[in-house]
Amino acid sequence: MSAFHKVLIANRGEIAVRVMRTARAMGYRTVAVYSSADADAEHVRQADQAVCIGEPLPAQSYLNIAAIIEAAHASGAEAVHPGYGFLAENADFAQACLDAGLVFIGPSPAAIRAMGDKAGAKRLMQAAGVPCIPGYQGEDQRATTLTAEAERIGWPVMIKATAGGGGRGMRLAPSGAVFAELLQSAQSEALHAFGDATVILERAIVAPRHIEIQVFADRHGNAIHLGERDCSVQRRHQKVIEESPSPAVSPALRERMGATAVAAAKAIGYEGAGTLEFLLDAEGQYWFMEMNTRLQVEHPVTEAVTGLDLVELQLRIAAGEPLPLEQNDVRMSGHAMEVRLCAEDPQQGFMPQSGTLAAWRPSPSLRTEHALRDGAAVPPFYDSMIAKLVAHGRTRDEARQRLIAGLRDTVALGVATNQQLLQRALSHPVFADGNATTAFLAEHADALLAPDVTMEERAVWLAALLLQTGERGWPSPLAHTLPNALRFALDSKVHAVRVTPQGSGRFDVAVDASPPTAVELLSLSGDGHMRFLCGGVSEHALAVRTSADRSWFHFRGQAFELRDLTHVAVPRAEAAGGDGLLRASMNGRVIALLVAEGDAVAAGQPLVTLEAMKMEHVHCAPRAGRVAALHVAVGTQVAARHVVAEIADA
C-alpha cells in the first residue's frame, strides 16, 4: 500500500505541471499552491485542488513554509514535492514537512543541509576522495580576509554564495582591482535571494565544460547514475542549453565520473534524485563544484536518452520502494538537447520581461515543458524561464537540427524572449561542432546578437501591411490608390513608411525614404495567419493585436512588437538622459536606494537597484547633476518606464 495518495507540489509554473503529469499517471491526486499573482495560472487550473498561500513576493508565498504546511493539511495531502528553486533545497522545509507528518519527496534534511552549504559540501567531498577546486571555505567573512585568500588562491577567482543556486550570488573576479566591488555585489544579491550573504572562493577554471551527473539512491542502500548532462552554454552562470550525452565525455570518462558521483551519494547516505556538478578541463580532469539535492531543470534530456521518468523514480523512492533498476540496466539511446525559453530581451542587456502572453503555440515536433496558454500572465516576481524545449534524435546533429526547427516554429507573442538567440546559438559552428565551453556565449555575443538585415527589412514590410489593413481586414480591389503615410516602432526602431495601394492586395512600400518595394498580401485570416509575397518569395506569419496601437507578429522564428505611432506627435530630439529622468527599465521591486535627495552625482553613477525575476539590476544616473527627487522607496513595486529619480543641474 502506498505511503501517500495525494501530493502537494510546493512550486509553480512548468515544473508544477510536470510533476502533476506523472503523479496523475501513477494514480495520485494533486494539490497546487499559488500566490495571489498566480490565481489564474495554469498549474492552478490543472491541479485537483489549489490553495492560495500568500501575496506575490516569494517570501510571502512560495517561501512561506508555515503556509505550505497548512495548505497540505487543509487539502489532505500526505506528501510534498518541492520541484526546484524556492524551498527545494531548504533543509528547514524538509524537516518541517517531516515534523508535520508529511512525506518529503526528496533527500533527508541532513543530506540537504550537508550539501546545501557549499563550504561544508566541499569538505565532505574532499574527505570522500572527490576532486575539488582549490579555494577558501572558511567562516571568516571579513572583506580583508576574503581579499587575502583570493590573493593566495590566485586570479581569476570565483565568488560563490554558499546558499546560492541558479547563478545568483556568483561573480568572476579577474583581478584584485575589482574584487571588493564584485564581492559586495555577490553578497548583496545572495542576501536578498537566500537570506545569507556568506560566500566561498574558488580558483576560476578558465573556459571549462560544465558537466553534471544524475544520481538516484534509495533508503535500502542502492545508488546508480544515469549518465551526464553537458550544461556548458551559460549566461551569468545560468544554464541556457543542456544536452546528453556530452560531446566531450568518452565512455571511459563517463564511467569514472559516474562512479565518483555514486560514491559521493553513498558517502552522505543520500536518498532520491540528486545531481553532482563538475568542471571539466580540456585535459579531461574534473573537479567537484556542488551537489543539487533536487530534480534539475534539465532532467528531461536524461529522460529522453534513458527512457526513464525521473519524477516517477522520485515518487517511488519516497514511497519506500527500492530502485527498480541496477547500474547495468541503465541504457542510453541517441542524443537529447534542451533550451530554456526565457522572458528577457537579449537586445536590451537581457532585461527581464513581464506582461501577458498574447499567443502561445508550442511546436508539436518537440517536447515542450510549460504552464502557458493564450492570455497567461508572466509576473515580474519569479524566474524568467517560461518554457523548456526538448528534442531527441539518433545523433547529436539530428537532435540539434530538430530543436532548431521546432524552436523556429514555436510562437510566443506578447513579451520579448530569447528565442532568436537560442536558434543562433544552436546553429553556431562552435556549438554545432560540439566545442562550446562556459565561455561560448560571451566569446560569440557579437555574432549571436547581430542584426539580421534581410529579415528585419522583410519584417518592416510585413508591419506596414498589418497597419495598412488595420481593422478593415482584407483590402478591397476598389480601394483608393492614394499613398498612406505610416509611422511605427518595430521592436525599438522607429520607421517612417509610405504605402501606396495598387489594387487586389498589392502595395508599393517605401521605407525610410528608400525606393518602393512591391509587396502583395496573399491571405489574411481572422485568426491572424497571413501570407505575403515579395521578390517572388511567399512567406507566412502570425499576428495578434494586443491593444488599439500595439500588435505582435511571429515571422521566421522571431517575435516582433509593433507599435503604431502614426498619430503620435514626433518627440523632439534630445540627448540621451537630457531630461534628467531615470526610468525603470523593467517591472521590478526596489531593493536599494544608493543616493539621497540633494546628493551630487556623476553620469553613470549607480542610483537605484531593482530586483526582477530573481536578478538584481542597477540603474545609473542618466547625466551628471544633483538628485532633485526620488519617487520610490525600498520595497516599492514599479512598472517599466516608471520615473524612479530626477537629476537636475548641480
Side-chain angles (χ1 to χ4, degrees):
M1 183 175 179
S2 176
F4 49 88
H5 303 87
K6 186 183 290 186
V7 180
L8 180 146
I9 298 91
N11 219 294
R12 66 179 300 277
E14 59 87 18
I15 184 55
V17 171
R18 162 70 188 95
V19 173
M20 288 176 194
R21 184 170 69 241
T22 290
R24 281 196 303 270
M26 295 177 68
Y28 295 114
R29 311 306 289 175
T30 61
V31 180
V33 293
Y34 63 95
S35 73
S36 56
D38 278 339
D40 195 40
E42 193 65 18
H43 75 282
V44 176
R45 291 184 171 208
Q46 293 196 20
D48 296 305
Q49 295 173 286
V51 181
C52 182
I53 54 172
E55 297 304 309
L57 292 178
Q60 301 168 336
S61 51
Y62 297 107
L63 295 176
N64 188 332
I65 294 175
I68 293 172
I69 299 297
E70 183 179 344
H73 287 320
S75 62
E78 304 107 333
V80 175
H81 193 300
Y84 44 69
F86 294 129
L87 295 169
E89 294 179 279
N90 187 303
D92 292 339
F93 178 54
Q95 187 64 56
C97 289
L98 300 180
D99 292 344
L102 302 169
V103 175
F104 181 74
I105 302 172
S108 68
I112 296 174
R113 190 167 284 113
M115 303 310 290
D117 180 341
K118 288 184 173 61
K122 287 189 69 173
R123 290 190 288 267
L124 280 173
M125 292 299 98
Q126 287 169 336
V130 177
C132 295
I133 303 172
Y136 172 74
Q137 302 93 41
E139 295 182 2
D140 188 345
Q141 292 288 298
R142 290 176 297 176
T144 53
T145 300
L146 292 170
T147 301
E149 289 294 333
E151 293 283 359
R152 177 187 62 81
I153 294 167
W155 309 104
V157 165
M158 184 66 73
I159 305 166
K160 300 174 72 172
T162 62
R168 290 174 294 280
M170 291 181 65
R171 300 291 187 273
L172 175 63
S175 68
V178 293
F179 179 77
E181 177 185 347
L182 293 172
L183 174 64
Q184 183 179 15
S185 175
Q187 291 173 324
S188 171
E189 189 169 81
L191 184 63
H192 283 102
F194 313 111
D196 185 353
T198 307
V199 300
I200 65 172
L201 306 177
E202 291 178 345
R203 178 187 300 161
I205 309 301
V206 179
R209 294 272 192 166
H210 183 134
I211 306 295
E212 59 187 32
I213 305 292
Q214 176 72 62
V215 296
F216 269 91
D218 61 29
R219 68 187 61 172
H220 307 286
N222 305 305
I224 60 172
H225 73 85
L226 302 180
E228 82 284 357
R229 295 183 289 257
D230 193 318
C231 308
S232 299
V233 179
Q234 303 177 7
R235 190 188 70 80
R236 285 192 65 180
H237 312 296
Q238 291 188 304
K239 300 163 188 173
V240 176
I241 304 174
E242 302 105 348
E243 61 181 306
S244 182
S246 167
V249 174
S250 66
L253 180 56
R254 179 176 304 115
E255 186 174 348
R256 290 201 310 275
M257 295 183 75
T260 297
V262 168
K266 288 185 173 181
I268 60 171
Y270 197 77
E271 179 181 331
T275 301
L276 283 92
E277 303 202 1
F278 299 91
L279 292 181
L280 175 70
D281 69 15
E283 285 70 48
Q285 185 174 356
Y286 60 91
W287 292 272
F288 170 80
M289 284 197 301
E290 63 187 22
M291 182 178 188
N292 291 313
T293 54
R294 53 167 167 81
L295 195 68
Q296 292 281 84
V297 174
E298 56 272 18
H299 75 273
V301 298
T302 297
E303 293 183 325
V305 296
T306 62
L308 299 169
D309 185 325
L310 271 58
V311 174
E312 179 181 346
L313 289 178
Q314 283 188 296
L315 292 168
R316 293 194 180 283
I317 290 170
E321 297 181 24
L323 276 167
L325 71 169
E326 298 179 352
Q327 191 64 59
N328 291 337
D329 300 321
V330 177
R331 297 285 184 271
M332 298 180 69
S333 174
H335 200 101
M337 282 186 187
E338 172 184 292
V339 292
R340 302 189 186 193
L341 185 68
C342 296
E344 61 187 19
D345 189 348
Q347 298 296 337
Q348 301 295 325
F350 293 89
M351 200 68 69
Q353 305 293 302
S354 57
T356 300
L357 202 61
W360 170 246
R361 309 284 186 275
S363 168
S365 66
L366 301 178
R367 170 180 172 178
T368 302
E369 296 290 346
H370 67 93
L372 304 172
R373 65 180 187 279
D374 290 359
V378 180
F381 312 103
Y382 313 117
D383 192 87
S384 62
M385 188 185 76
I386 58 174
K388 304 179 310 197
L389 287 67
V390 188
H392 181 261
R394 292 169 298 175
T395 65
R396 182 177 187 269
D397 200 56
E398 183 176 282
R400 185 181 67 87
Q401 294 286 5
R402 285 179 175 175
L403 189 50
I404 293 171
L407 186 58
R408 180 187 175 102
D409 292 340
T410 296
V411 176
L413 300 177
V415 294
T417 73
N418 62 341
Q419 185 173 7
Q420 184 186 42
L421 173 77
L422 295 173
Q423 294 174 66
R424 289 187 174 186
L426 292 168
S427 303
H428 195 282
V430 171
F431 181 84
D433 292 341
N435 296 322
T437 69
T438 55
F440 170 74
L441 287 183
E443 289 179 346
H444 302 286
D446 290 346
L448 297 174
L449 297 174
D452 184 331
V453 177
T454 300
M455 181 173 70
E456 290 181 2
E457 183 178 54
R458 297 182 79 86
V460 171
W461 298 334
L462 177 54
L465 287 184
L466 287 170
L467 292 182
Q468 176 69 21
T469 57
E471 298 292 345
R472 297 188 299 274
W474 183 257
S476 165
L478 301 178
H480 66 79
T481 58
L482 297 176
N484 187 17
L486 302 172
R487 183 171 172 273
F488 57 82
L490 192 60
D491 291 340
S492 58
K493 189 173 181 180
V494 176
H495 298 276
V497 178
R498 185 171 293 272
V499 180
T500 305
Q502 300 296 331
S504 300
R506 297 189 303 273
F507 304 89
D508 284 344
V509 180
V511 179
D512 301 327
S514 297
T517 299
V519 183
E520 182 177 355
L521 181 61
L522 300 175
S523 66
L524 177 60
S525 62
D527 61 1
H529 285 277
M530 64 183 301
R531 291 175 58 235
F532 72 104
L533 177 71
C534 185
V537 178
S538 68
E539 301 200 59
H540 296 262
L542 173 65
V544 57
R545 183 183 297 274
T546 55
S547 68
D549 61 353
R550 192 179 300 256
S551 301
W552 288 76
F553 61 87
H554 176 91
F555 172 59
R556 289 191 179 182
Q558 184 176 348
F560 291 88
E561 181 183 15
L562 172 61
R563 290 183 294 128
D564 186 0
L565 305 176
T566 303
H567 303 294
V568 177
V570 178
R572 291 179 301 165
E574 291 182 317
D579 58 2
L581 301 181
L582 176 63
R583 295 175 171 84
S585 55
M586 82 292 281
N587 294 342
R589 183 171 64 97
V590 178
I591 62 171
L593 294 178
L594 308 175
V595 293
E597 290 185 357
D599 286 357
V601 295
Q605 179 177 333
L607 303 184
V608 179
T609 303
L610 296 186
E611 182 183 54
M613 293 182 167
K614 302 199 294 189
M615 301 297 286
E616 291 187 7
H617 302 270
V618 177
H619 288 53
C620 301
R623 64 182 180 89
R626 64 174 180 83
V627 180
L630 290 171
H631 296 290
V632 293
V634 173
T636 301
Q637 190 72 33
V638 298
R641 304 298 297 162
H642 178 86
V643 176
V644 297
E646 294 183 40
I647 308 301
D649 293 335

